[in-house]
């Protein structure tokens, strides 16, 4: 394969090359900003402001942070050496993995395909990109940008039906890494294909992210922050609060605050709101609409299939055995459940293990600590929701059912690099004790190795 030959030539490994490609990418994203914003409006009805925060601007800031850190990250990392190996030096080289495959979903079609690519370029790899077929307008701009900016033996853009294209690629070529973002169900298929060839993977999957609102939370702020990210992109966000678990003493107050807040954000006709998106396609629309029957609608609930519009909705009395509490909702429907004891809440969370994100609203640091230690989740926020993923200093990823591995900033560089461990031993010191015959040296060995 041409890409393998290109990688083997060594050009992608040099600092100057990596830096130049990142600058080229940043310039190209700036050049195509308007086209991206138009395409994202076509695919998901995102406003330019939302696009900037979650797609184009997000990506540009990731590139800027990477350019800032790159030289330092590429340096050999000196580590200590134990007594046994005195007087050696030890260090870790960061080596590119080779030719990597990055597979993106449709909900943040630009950001979730190109942000991992920033890490892959920074780490010195060649990249095959596979865009989601469900956000075609954005995919068309990405394709144009990639083909105009990079040679295909360095970065290759692919698209089409994932169920056909991806097995075709993964079963005929041994990638050095596969980075997949999407549903847990497809994640399992990717993992199996990768296992056949022992290809390492990063899996950025979904999950049901709970949002705890404690009795001592600032309810007004909680309502704003929950509504903000739950209904952003019409709820089609992997780290959106999936459902709220509020202390029973505050349920009424929280629901009232949520209703007021949603009204303020999106008005009486959210379908006409500049700030409110649409569902990606009819398949997703039909799936989400089903959930409206699985509880009592206490706010919203209106739909319009032609416009792929589902109103921001609050559900009460949800049926715990129904899909809305078993699947990831991935749409603008927010079940509000109450709890009286922490154990009760934990039981509900346990039904969907390893959420990608977890949020707790409380003013008590003891409660905060207790909650954070009680649930095994990918990452999260205290008194906030979803924003942790916008800080490139934090690793972003799930665990178990919500994924494996992480990225963003330096973590992306690490994900797409191999840590090559090196020990360098001088020749001036070469004591006989290290060599046979060993008889009688056990005491000394026990003193050195302990
Ligand atoms: P998806 O699994 O349908 O598609 C993702 C990618 O997989 C697409 O490129 C698609 O072409 C490909 N694909 C689809 N079927 C395939 C198959 N049978 N074999 C191989 N490849 C296939 O996911 P989606 O619907 O695009 O995204 C929604 C899901 O992704 C949600 O669960 C969401 O939580 C999750 N997600 C996670 C993150 C994260 O960062 N962890 C971010 C966004 C979305």
């Amino acid at each position: 394969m041409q890409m393998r030959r290109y990688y083997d030539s060594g050009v992608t490994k040099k600092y100057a090359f990596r830096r130049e490609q990142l600058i080229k990418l940043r310039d190209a994203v700036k050049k195509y900003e308007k086209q991206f914003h138009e395409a994202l409006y076509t695919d998901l009805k995102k406003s330019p402001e939302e696009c900037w925060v979650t797609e184009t601007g997000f990506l540009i800031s990731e590139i800027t942070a990477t350019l800032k850190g790159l030289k330092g990250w590429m340096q050999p990392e000196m580590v200590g050496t134990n007594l046994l190996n005195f007087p050696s030096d030890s260090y870790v080289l960061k080596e590119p993995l080779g030719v990597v495959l990055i597979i993106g979903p449709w909900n943040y079609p630009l950001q979730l395909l190109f942000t991992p690519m920033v890490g892959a370029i920074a780490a010195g790899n060649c990249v095959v990109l596979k865009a989601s077929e469900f956000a075609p307008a954005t995919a068309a701009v990405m394709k144009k940008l990639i083909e105009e900016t990079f040679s295909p033996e360095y970065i290759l853009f692919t698209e089409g039906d994932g169920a056909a294209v991806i097995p075709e690629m993964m079963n005929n070529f041994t990638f050095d890494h596969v980075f997949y973002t999407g549903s847990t169900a497809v994640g399992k298929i990717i993992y199996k294909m990768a296992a056949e060839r022992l290809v390492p993977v990063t899996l950025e999957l979904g999950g049901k992210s709970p949002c705890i609102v404690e009795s001592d939370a600032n309810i007004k702020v909680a309502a704003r922050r929950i509504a903000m990210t739950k209904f952003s992109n019409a709820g089609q966000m992997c780290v959106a609060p999936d459902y709220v678990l509020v202390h029973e003493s505050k349920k009424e107050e929280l629901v009232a605050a949520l209703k007021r807040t949603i009204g303020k954000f999106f008005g009486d006709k959210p379908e006409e709101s500049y700030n409110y998106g649409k569902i990606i396609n009819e398949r997703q629309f039909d799936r989400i609409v089903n959930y409206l029957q699985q509880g009592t609608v206490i706010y919203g609930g209106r739909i319009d299939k032609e416009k792929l519009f589902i109103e921001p909705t609050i559900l009460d009395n949800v049926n715990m055995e129904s899909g809305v509490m078993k699947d990831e909702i991935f749409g603008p429907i927010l079940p509000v459940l109450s709890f009286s004891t922490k154990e009760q809440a934990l039981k509900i969370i346990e039904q969907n293990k390893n959420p990608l994100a977890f949020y707790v609203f409380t003013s008590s640091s003891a409660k905060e600590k207790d909650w954070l230690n009680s649930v095994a989740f990918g990452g999260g926020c205290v008194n906030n929701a979803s924003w942790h993923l916008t800080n490139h200093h934090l690793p972003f990823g799930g665990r178990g059912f919500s994924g494996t591995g992480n990225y963003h900033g330096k973590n992306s560089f690490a994900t797409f690099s191999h840590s090559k461990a090196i020990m360098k031993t001088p020749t001036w010191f070469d004591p006989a004790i290290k060599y046979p015959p060993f008889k009688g040296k056990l005491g000394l060995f026990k003193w050195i190795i302990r």
Side-chain angles (χ1 to χ4, degrees), residues 103-107 112 130-133 162-163 166 180-183 186 189-190 204-206 238 328 330 356 396:
I103 305 167
W106 50 261
N107 60 333
L112 292 172
K130 162 64 180 75
S132 170
E133 59 272 41
I166 293 169
Y180 167 83
T181 304
S183 67
V186 173
I189 299 173
I190 302 287
E204 297 283 338
L205 311 178
C238 59
E328 178 185 3
F330 218 57
L356 177 60
F396 178 68

Side-chain angles (χ1 to χ4, degrees), residues 24-289:
K24 267 164 67 176
L25 177 62
R26 187 170 59 185
D27 291 347
V29 175
K30 285 181 183 166
K31 178 179 156 193
Y32 279 97
E33 176 191 326
K34 197 160 172 275
Q35 290 191 42
F36 273 127
H37 291 184
E38 283 165 6
L40 287 159
Y41 186 86
T42 305
D43 286 330
L44 286 146
K45 197 176 162 273
K46 294 189 200 195
S47 68
E49 288 82 358
E50 185 174 347
C51 288
W52 185 261
V53 175
T54 63
E55 303 257 19
T56 39
F58 183 104
L59 180 60
I60 285 170
S61 96
E62 177 80 8
I63 300 171
T64 303
T66 303
L67 280 166
K68 231 185 222 169
L70 184 59
K71 197 161 204 173
W73 302 343
M74 285 177 66
Q75 299 311 307
E77 184 193 341
M78 298 307 294
V79 298
T81 302
N82 52 357
L83 180 61
L84 175 67
N85 292 295
F86 177 83
S88 306
D89 284 327
S90 303
Y91 56 92
V92 182
L93 293 177
K94 310 293 167 153
E95 190 176 71
L97 299 176
V99 181
V100 303
L101 170 64
I102 299 175
I103 305 167
W106 50 261
N107 60 333
Y108 292 89
L110 167 67
Q111 190 238 113
L112 292 172
L113 191 67
F114 279 21
T115 304
M117 175 176 69
V118 172
I121 292 175
N125 299 278
C126 290
V127 186
V128 177
L129 295 168
K130 162 64 180 75
S132 170
E133 59 272 41
F134 299 117
T138 312
V141 184
M142 292 194 289
K143 181 176 158 69
K144 202 164 157 210
L145 180 155
I146 292 294
E147 291 179 352
E148 193 180 283
T149 314
F150 303 108
S151 66
E153 63 269 28
Y154 175 46
I155 297 181
L156 180 70
F157 188 89
T158 68
E159 54 192 334
D161 174 10
V165 173
I166 293 169
E168 171 73 20
M169 290 197 280
M170 288 184 70
N171 295 328
N172 289 300
F173 180 79
T174 303
F175 286 98
D176 296 296
H177 194 90
V178 174
F179 187 107
Y180 167 83
T181 304
S183 67
T184 304
V186 173
K188 287 181 188 173
I189 299 173
I190 302 287
Y191 210 174
K192 271 189 201 151
M193 284 191 286
E196 277 301 315
R197 290 173 179 244
L198 288 178
V199 174
V201 292
T202 302
L203 301 174
E204 297 283 338
L205 311 178
K208 254 183 125 45
S209 302
C211 182
I212 303 289
V213 179
E214 268 288 3
S215 52
D216 56 5
N218 179 329
I219 297 296
K220 197 173 155 203
V221 171
R224 271 162 65 162
R225 294 185 183 169
I226 294 167
M228 164 71 201
T229 53
K230 174 68 188 185
F231 300 111
S232 172
N233 203 20
Q236 301 162 109
M237 184 198 284
C238 59
V239 287
D242 190 276
Y243 59 97
V244 170
L245 273 164
V246 55
H247 190 268
E248 58 184 10
S249 63
K250 293 288 171 174
K251 183 173 174 186
E252 213 172 298
E253 193 183 335
L254 179 72
V255 168
L258 279 169
K259 288 180 180 176
R260 266 197 313 276
T261 307
I262 300 169
K264 263 193 204 154
F265 285 177
F266 308 112
D268 292 339
K269 287 192 168 168
E271 61 271 53
E272 289 169 13
S273 169
Y274 178 86
N275 305 308
Y276 193 62
K278 72 175 182 74
I279 305 304
I280 187 80
N281 54 32
E282 284 194 7
R283 208 182 103 208
Q284 293 293 329
F285 178 89
D286 292 340
R287 181 186 66 76
I288 301 165
V289 162

Side-chain angles (χ1 to χ4, degrees), residues 336-350:
V336 178
L337 290 75
S338 61
F339 67 93
S340 57
T341 64
K342 186 177 151 224
E343 288 62 39
Q344 238 179 7
L346 284 178
K347 235 182 180 171
I348 294 171
I349 297 168
E350 266 300 290

